[in-house]
Amino acid sequence: MEIDSAVRERLTNANQTHLLAYWSELNDEQRRTLLRDINEVDFNRVQQAYDAIKHELFSEPNGHTKNEISDTIDDIMEPIPDHMAGSINEASPEQLDNYRENGLKAISEGQVCVLLLAGGQGTRLGVDYPKGMYNVGLPSGKSLYQIQAERIRRLEHLANEQFNTDSATITWFILTSEHTQEQTEKYFRSHKYFGLKRENIILFEQHTLPALNFQGKILLEEKHRLTKAADGNGGLYRALRTRGVLEKMAERHIKYVHVYGVDNILVRLADPVFIGFCLEKNADCAAKVVKKTVPTEAVGVICKVGGRFQVVEYSEISEETARRTKSESSDELLYNAGNICNHFFTLDFLQDVCQKHENELRYHVAKKKIPSVDNHGNHVSKPTEINGIKLEKFVFDVFPFSKTFAVWEVRREDEFSPLKNESGAKDTAATCRRDLMLQHVRWLQQAGADLPNDIEKHIDTTGKTCEISPLVSYAGEDLEFANGRKLDLPIFFELNTSKNNTNNSVPRNLTVVNGCTPIPIQTN
Ligand code: UTP
């Protein structure tokens, strides 16, 4: 098997002929694999990406680029202007009802879809399947994907109920990657799409970029295979265009898109309150945020830099800036809008960004230890030193293109608890489980249930459980049946799918499960 001269020419022009260094050692099948990998690479894109970031590679630790950038950002950053911001804590009950009603109206008219970013590798969690399939150990055993699917079903039901329609459809677009596509597809199929209509779940795959060494040469994973890495959650915009997703949204008459990350167990998909707020602000692009826990929390904050909206990472600003307060007499941080990967876009905005600005989105560099073939032709599966870079775009890098930006602040305990780490004190399965169950305790308290004293302590320390199915309540609504009712842990409310529910103390469609055996979900 020979190498096509066109392939050689492409590699020569791209300065990547080293990819053929082991050609003579490969069998025919390996050669075919290598040629397929090479054909898939857009060398211009790789070169452009490298050119754009290479100054960052060599400026640290000897150069001053990072500090120069921080100084500059510190000097020119400003908080989000008040008229663009809203907060669930400050809005009046009437305002919140109004937002919710307008959001539900848009949902009832089929104008809202959700877009899940599920292409990440979840390296910190360390499982070999997509994070959305992870079961954090709730009594029901539900995975993140199932919880999300059920919130969609519940919200469609609420919108239909409120407006007496049956047209509420929330299409679920799921951005996958090479690492997650196949397993995600199989998982949904084998669980019968968790009761959602199959045609309303649309998976589309993001693109990859090869990993590079510091000189911009593509790293070989094996002698016959190129390294490949997902191009970051900002790869969304390219995939929206190249996979025909924008057209699908338009065909479905979708106007508003709620984009969110896979790992936040408390995520309120297509949150009608957030959507209603964005509609009132006439926002083309908006972000949901939470207050930082401490000034030095390692979270990006949303602010204005040089007149344009942007997420500034904690590492990019000085501690002094991170600690600045709104005024001398206030404890409230000036830069307190913590980004939680939860965004609203109009379809018009996405079309504009994907068609006109996608190429302008910058690449972020991650220096990593990348399993690859070293200079001596040996495959190194666990490099001890950083040996290369991955290039990623970020979903929030489209904010500067917004003409009517808005920011909606929510309560962390109600809306943000991500699953990131396998163990430790923060963002683990245990913290997700606890945060969800404590929220459900609060919902029952607000509904007037008679609960044991110090119930929160039992959940934290004795491992007792309290879970309410998303099919029963999306955000604490419709729990009146618990009013005045004495409940003891464990508590588990699930939608009863069997016709012969004989428990008269709760509405006919609900069941309380002691001992917390999960109930099979209803499949349409
Ligand atoms: P993270 O940056 O937390 O990455 O992604 P991750 O893959 O979940 O975890 P680590 O960093 O490897 O441990 C934030 C969101 O962006 C998605 C993730 O699936 C998650 O929902 N994402 C990330 C993508 O969709 N594509 C990517 O290329 C990267």
Side-chain angles (χ1 to χ4, degrees):
M1 191 178 171
E2 284 308 306
I3 308 171
D4 198 308
S5 61
V7 173
R8 267 193 200 287
E9 200 182 318
R10 279 184 76 216
L11 291 175
T12 309
N13 291 342
N15 225 350
Q16 301 282 0
T17 48
H18 67 287
L19 296 177
L20 297 175
Y22 306 104
W23 182 262
S24 61
E25 297 174 29
L26 306 180
N27 63 31
D28 275 358
E29 198 187 328
Q30 291 173 326
R31 287 177 174 183
R32 270 192 291 278
T33 307
L34 181 62
L35 288 178
R36 197 198 55 222
D37 273 11
I38 291 175
N39 279 332
E40 279 174 8
V41 177
D42 178 344
F43 289 107
N44 282 337
R45 187 170 167 240
V46 174
Q47 188 63 46
Q48 277 167 10
Y50 179 73
D51 287 345
I53 57 86
K54 69 179 171 204
H55 66 280
E56 290 177 42
L57 296 178
F58 304 107
S59 51
E60 287 174 66
N62 304 325
H64 305 284
T65 308
K66 194 153 186 222
N67 285 337
E68 278 160 14
I69 290 174
S70 342
D71 290 347
T72 325
I73 290 188
D74 281 325
D75 291 346
I76 59 175
M77 70 194 275
E78 303 163 66
I80 302 289
D82 285 348
H83 71 275
M84 295 179 173
S87 160
I88 207 161
N89 285 323
E90 284 160 26
S92 66
E94 296 73 38
Q95 250 173 335
L96 291 176
D97 282 350
N98 210 7
Y99 293 154
R100 183 173 183 273
E101 182 162 337
N102 290 340
L104 282 177
K105 178 119 183 72
I107 292 170
S108 77
E109 290 170 359
Q111 296 174 349
V112 179
C113 74
V114 287
L115 197 161
L116 164 61
L117 303 169
Q121 263 184 287
T123 13
R124 283 168 285 173
L125 190 62
V127 290
D128 59 0
Y129 53 83
K131 226 192 235 185
M133 288 164 53
Y134 198 90
N135 160 8
V136 301
L138 288 169
S140 65
K142 289 175 187 176
S143 64
L144 295 173
Y145 281 150
Q146 179 168 356
I147 293 170
Q148 293 169 25
E150 294 185 356
R151 287 193 187 136
I152 293 176
R153 286 178 59 190
R154 170 74 187 163
L155 201 49
E156 288 177 343
H157 169 79
L158 288 173
N160 278 332
E161 195 178 57
Q162 175 121 355
F163 292 96
N164 205 12
T165 54
D166 60 2
S167 51
T169 298
I170 302 171
T171 305
W172 195 6
F173 292 92
I174 305 183
L175 178 75
T176 60
S177 64
E178 204 177 57
H179 305 287
T180 60
Q181 166 80 20
E182 209 180 307
Q183 292 185 80
T184 299
E185 207 167 355
K186 263 198 207 146
Y187 182 73
F188 274 97
R189 200 180 325 120
S190 66
H191 287 86
K192 299 203 171 67
Y193 304 92
F194 296 108
L196 288 163
K197 291 205 179 89
R198 189 192 165 157
E199 66 269 26
N200 293 334
I201 302 186
I202 300 177
L203 273 59
F204 64 112
E205 198 175 319
Q206 67 181 99
H207 297 272
T208 56
L209 267 177
L212 307 177
N213 72 12
F214 282 69
Q215 285 68 40
K217 301 277 189 216
I218 293 174
L219 290 172
L220 284 166
E221 186 183 305
E222 307 273 356
K223 290 179 177 175
H224 64 284
R225 205 190 287 284
L226 272 53
T227 47
K228 283 182 203 164
D231 54 0
N233 57 21
L236 165 70
Y237 303 105
R238 185 155 187 260
L240 279 174
R241 195 186 66 220
T242 60
R243 309 292 192 201
V245 178
L246 294 171
E247 285 79 6
K248 286 200 180 105
M249 288 178 176
E251 278 160 20
R252 287 172 180 245
H253 307 290
I254 286 162
K255 288 179 154 176
Y256 312 113
V257 184
H258 177 225
V259 175
Y260 68 99
V262 68
D263 47 26
N264 175 12
I265 197 165
L266 300 181
V267 66
R268 294 196 176 163
L269 303 91
D271 175 11
V273 176
F274 181 38
I275 289 164
F277 166 77
C278 294
L279 294 180
E280 193 207 63
K281 292 281 174 203
N282 198 21
D284 57 4
C285 167
K288 212 180 234 196
V289 298
V290 295
K291 283 188 169 71
K292 289 204 275 186
T293 44
V294 287
T296 52
E297 187 184 356
V299 62
V301 289
I302 301 182
C303 56
K304 256 175 129 178
V305 179
R308 300 172 97 194
F309 301 101
Q310 186 178 318
V311 173
V312 170
E313 297 296 343
Y314 172 68
S315 54
E316 292 178 297
I317 54 175
S318 66
E319 191 173 327
E320 194 192 334
T321 303
R323 289 188 183 280
R324 279 181 69 186
T325 51
K326 284 194 168 167
S327 66
E328 270 180 25
S329 57
S330 155
D331 291 341
E332 174 91 8
L333 294 175
L334 186 62
Y335 299 110
N336 211 12
N339 181 38
I340 56 169
C341 193
N342 195 316
H343 311 305
F344 165 95
F345 301 113
T346 62
L347 181 57
D348 288 345
F349 176 78
L350 284 180
Q351 282 165 335
D352 194 55
V353 162
C354 296
Q355 274 139 23
K356 296 195 201 137
H357 303 296
E358 195 274 318
N359 281 340
E360 296 165 45
L361 300 181
R362 63 180 277 229
Y363 282 97
H364 300 255
V365 183
K367 296 177 186 170
K368 301 230 163 176
K369 296 174 188 166
I370 300 167
S372 52
V373 178
D374 70 10
N375 291 338
H376 310 291
N378 300 319
H379 174 78
V380 184
S381 55
K382 287 201 172 149
T384 48
E385 304 277 324
I386 287 179
N387 59 346
I389 54 169
K390 288 186 177 176
L391 297 169
E392 295 192 337
K393 293 193 172 186
F394 290 167
V395 66
F396 51 71
D397 279 334
V398 298
F399 291 177
F401 303 108
S402 169
K403 296 190 179 74
T404 44
F405 191 66
V407 170
W408 178 240
E409 183 194 278
V410 294
R411 289 187 280 266
R412 184 185 287 252
E413 66 273 24
D414 278 335
E415 303 211 27
F416 187 56
S417 177
L419 175 66
K420 298 283 182 196
N421 304 314
E422 189 186 351
S423 56
K426 207 170 171 275
D427 304 343
T428 61
T431 58
C432 285
R433 202 167 54 226
R434 186 201 61 212
D435 289 345
L436 187 84
M437 293 199 289
L438 288 178
Q439 179 182 59
H440 292 179
V441 165
R442 289 195 300 278
W443 287 356
L444 290 171
Q445 284 168 337
Q446 279 151 21
D450 181 0
L451 297 163
N453 290 337
D454 290 339
I455 183 168
E456 294 88 350
K457 258 197 220 149
H458 294 299
I459 284 191
D460 236 0
T461 56
T462 63
K464 290 269 180 74
T465 54
C466 174
E467 183 182 358
I468 299 172
S469 166
L471 295 172
V472 173
S473 189
Y474 171 87
E477 77 290 340
D478 285 354
L479 297 176
E480 293 78 11
F481 64 85
N483 189 12
R485 194 151 172 242
K486 198 166 173 54
L487 294 168
D488 205 356
L489 296 175
I491 295 167
F492 179 40
F493 287 110
E494 180 56 282
L495 194 70
N496 190 6
T497 54
S498 72
K499 302 244 171 348
N500 47 4
N501 179 11
T502 51
N503 185 345
N504 290 327
S505 59
V506 292
R508 264 171 53 76
N509 65 342
L510 283 184
T511 183
V512 187
V513 183
N514 292 318
C516 303
T517 318
I519 291 182
I521 59 143
Q522 185 180 15
T523 48
N524 295 341

